[in-house]
Amino acid sequence: MVSHKVLEFGDDGYKLPAQARAPRSVRKKRIYEKKIPGDDKMCAIDLLATVAGSLLLESESSVNAGGDKCVVVVQNTVKKEFPAEENPVKALPYLEDNLYQRSPGPCDNGQCGFSSVITNPNHLLVGDKVEKEVEGFSSLGGSDSCEVRNFSKNLNPGVNGDVKPDIVASIGSNSSTEVGACGNGDPHDSRDDVNLFSRNDDDENFSGYIRPRMTRPVPRIGDRRIRKILASRHWKGDAKPWYCSKRSYYLHHYQRSYPIKKRKYFDSISDSNSDDYRLQGKTRKGSRTISSMKSRNASFVSRDHHVRLRIKSFRVPELFIEIPETATVGSLKRMVMEAVTTILGDGLRVGLMVQGKKVRDDSKTLLQTGISEENNHLDSLGFCLEPNLETTPQPLSSSYLSEHACDDLTLCRGNALDSSHQPAAPSQADSFGKLGTTDHSRALIPVVSAAMLAPRPPNRKFKRTEQQLAAQRRIRRPFSVTEVEALVQAVEHLGTGRWRDVKVRAFEDADHRTYVDLKDKWKTLVHTARISPQQRRGEPVPQELLDRVLKAHAYWSQHLMHQLQTEPPSSQVEALI
DNA sequence: TTTAGGG
DNA sequence: CCCTAAA
């Protein structure tokens, strides 16, 4: 028999219902062993999404909050509040700063992730199509729902030219797999930020957002966990959302930025990408801080009532790959690629959570939803990426991708490269702007855009679904006579209603046998014992064992009462046997 | 998370 | 083995 190695990538801390999604291997650990602290945070495939929202209150000038990889700007622009001819002009400087005035950052290995730009339809903040977009919005009748306009902007220092779509996965000690964006985490571009950094992180739960990250290469495969398991699911598409827990809050006042970061569930993550999120268990305090700051600075309230959010990096969920030891490295790579591609290509949609509740009504305004600087709901805002299981094809033609996505790309690039629009810090623009733009960002945009915007090719989808099913299904593992013996013995003692105990008692070390498996096996054993030997299939089970099965089954059928209590007296068990 | 049952 | 309603 060929043994398999199950490579486990990633641990986002996003948890799915164990029984529903978690790979059996993981599930088993969680259920029976419970030995690994934090293991419960493992999620199966759950894709991605680490999202951090950051609130930015209005600021006249640029805010170089960019300390991290991804930037998402959401603006709840309302038409009447923002005359078409005015908004873009105002917004542009800000955005440009945020998106492009970044240091190349620690992406020295050239592996940058992507960031997202979310903006109102009438408020395309990037690119030379602003006016057009605004006009278009006007005709939309003031829809204020946000939509993803572009999805990816990362800085790739020093690299020019075409770069193929690339996904960077960082595999850390925490098994975090992340489509990371990096390379824009440099603080140099903001003096105010520097001040922030001088601040003690332990103080007030602040963490200098723009603190330079350690230049650790994103992909770290060295300490990934490799668990040898006989069976494990590959990964499974699921409707469960991958909630994001990372959040960052930024309050910007004039030229200052006051990054406030909070972190709720990712304390265990040690990846450098998350270094600046270390605010263990201080979420509440952080919120208070925000409030106090707001009260102290009335001007924090945006004149334009914009809500600015920052979403940092979307993660690729944990991947589980089962592959024979004899497989080639190449095949392993292909498997990983396939898994990642499947995740990204299977269609994603953005979910929004406000105060723990999902906001499904896309027509609501941010104000109505409570996403506003005027209230405290900001600290409970979260985005998540979830699989788009809709069967209905999205109204986007396939050409959308090839054209519009590229347009967006072009927009980003063009703007990014053009530093002349950046009044706030031209020098910085010169320093990093030209370097940092695009290549990598561009690399990821197509992928992500495709995932976000493109309709899934029906045929391909179907095919993949089948593939997934095949990949998900655990391999069949017929019970050996030895196993049957162990099962029968355990049931004789414990009864037929305590499969968990049976598991612990007799199959503790059999990772691939869940209590459900044992229950199922018992069921088939009983059935097998009742049918004629001619009708039985598979490896024959000794009649002696089948007899015990029937005997035990009969016994426990008569002792359901006791079953819940304790084992029957050994004498009875003896008699039973 | 487990159990209990149908698929 | 899978999927899930229930507890």
Side-chain angles (χ1 to χ4, degrees), chain A residues 83-129:
Chain A
E85 58 276 14
E86 187 178 346
N87 280 333
V89 180
K90 279 182 156 184
L92 273 175
Y94 167 81
L95 229 210
E96 287 176 357
D97 284 341
N98 272 292
L99 290 180
Y100 308 125
Q101 283 189 5
R102 288 169 199 292
S103 143
C107 264
D108 32 39
N109 59 356
Q111 314 217 24
C112 297
F114 59 85
S115 58
S116 314
V117 176
I118 300 175
T119 179
N120 186 288
N122 74 326
H123 218 82
L124 183 59
L125 301 177
V126 183
D128 50 23
K129 284 190 173 179

Side-chain angles (χ1 to χ4, degrees), chain A residues 87 102 132 274 337 341 390 404 426 440 447 473 524 569 573:
Chain A
N87 280 333
R102 288 169 199 292
K132 224 177 269 182
S274 305
M337 187 61 214
T341 301
E390 286 184 31
H404 299 257
H440 266 291
V447 174
R473 195 175 186 108
T524 62
V573 175

Side-chain angles (χ1 to χ4, degrees), chain A residues 481-524:
Chain A
V481 172
T482 301
E483 286 180 300
V484 171
E485 152 80 72
L487 175 60
V488 170
Q489 189 173 73
V491 173
E492 285 172 339
H493 285 84
L494 301 172
T496 54
R498 301 164 63 187
W499 301 109
R500 193 279 169 82
D501 292 333
V502 170
K503 160 68 183 180
V504 172
R505 178 182 181 125
F507 293 82
E508 176 72 89
D509 298 322
D511 291 359
H512 56 294
R513 303 297 190 196
T514 69
Y515 48 73
V516 175
D517 293 334
L518 302 179
K519 182 263 301 177
D520 287 341
K521 180 57 183 176
W522 183 260
K523 181 174 62 180
T524 62

Side-chain angles (χ1 to χ4, degrees), chain A residues 204-206 249 251 260-263 279 281-293 379:
Chain A
E204 295 290 329
N205 308 311
F206 277 84
Y249 295 83
L251 299 180
I260 299 173
K261 300 193 299 119
K262 302 200 299 182
R263 176 152 182 182
L279 288 175
K282 295 177 179 176
T283 301
R284 182 177 290 175
K285 223 177 165 187
S287 297
R288 280 203 300 268
T289 302
I290 291 178
S291 299
S292 63
M293 291 184 71
D379 59 0

Side-chain angles (χ1 to χ4, degrees), chain A residues 12-207:
Chain A
D12 296 335
Y14 304 116
K15 186 174 170 184
L16 288 185
Q19 189 156 11
R21 296 307 151 200
R24 205 65 80 173
S25 57
V26 173
R27 201 181 304 164
K28 177 266 173 183
K29 271 223 174 331
R30 185 150 56 221
I31 295 172
Y32 306 114
E33 298 181 7
K34 299 177 179 176
K35 294 170 184 173
I36 302 177
D39 216 32
D40 57 288
K41 288 184 177 177
M42 268 195 270
C43 67
I45 32 161
D46 321 324
L47 187 42
L48 55 131
T50 294
V51 185
S54 71
L55 161 63
L56 303 175
L57 293 185
E58 175 61 11
S59 117
E60 291 287 71
S61 59
S62 71
V63 184
N64 291 310
D68 230 299
K69 26 195 179 179
C70 296
V71 174
V72 172
V73 177
V74 178
Q75 295 191 298
N76 63 339
T77 314
V78 176
K79 183 183 175 186
K80 54 185 175 183
E81 293 178 341
F82 303 97
E85 58 276 14
E86 187 178 346
N87 280 333
V89 180
K90 279 182 156 184
L92 273 175
Y94 167 81
L95 229 210
E96 287 176 357
D97 284 341
N98 272 292
L99 290 180
Y100 308 125
Q101 283 189 5
R102 288 169 199 292
S103 143
C107 264
D108 32 39
N109 59 356
Q111 314 217 24
C112 297
F114 59 85
S115 58
S116 314
V117 176
I118 300 175
T119 179
N120 186 288
N122 74 326
H123 218 82
L124 183 59
L125 301 177
V126 183
D128 50 23
K129 284 190 173 179
V130 169
E131 290 187 2
K132 224 177 269 182
E133 290 293 333
V134 171
E135 289 171 8
F137 172 69
S138 297
S139 65
L140 290 177
S143 164
D144 56 354
S145 62
C146 292
E147 75 175 59
V148 174
R149 300 297 309 179
N150 193 353
F151 201 85
S152 180
K153 170 85 238 141
N154 44 70
L155 309 179
N156 177 29
V159 181
N160 288 311
D162 291 347
V163 177
K164 294 173 187 171
D166 183 26
I167 295 170
V168 178
S170 83
I171 302 169
S173 56
N174 58 348
S175 292
S176 161
T177 301
E178 174 169 344
V179 168
C182 56
N184 43 10
D186 196 298
H188 318 345
D189 52 357
S190 170
R191 292 176 211 110
D192 293 301
D193 287 334
V194 173
N195 290 336
L196 283 172
F197 282 108
S198 62
R199 179 172 201 150
N200 184 340
D201 283 356
D202 294 325
D203 174 25
E204 295 290 329
N205 308 311
F206 277 84
S207 179

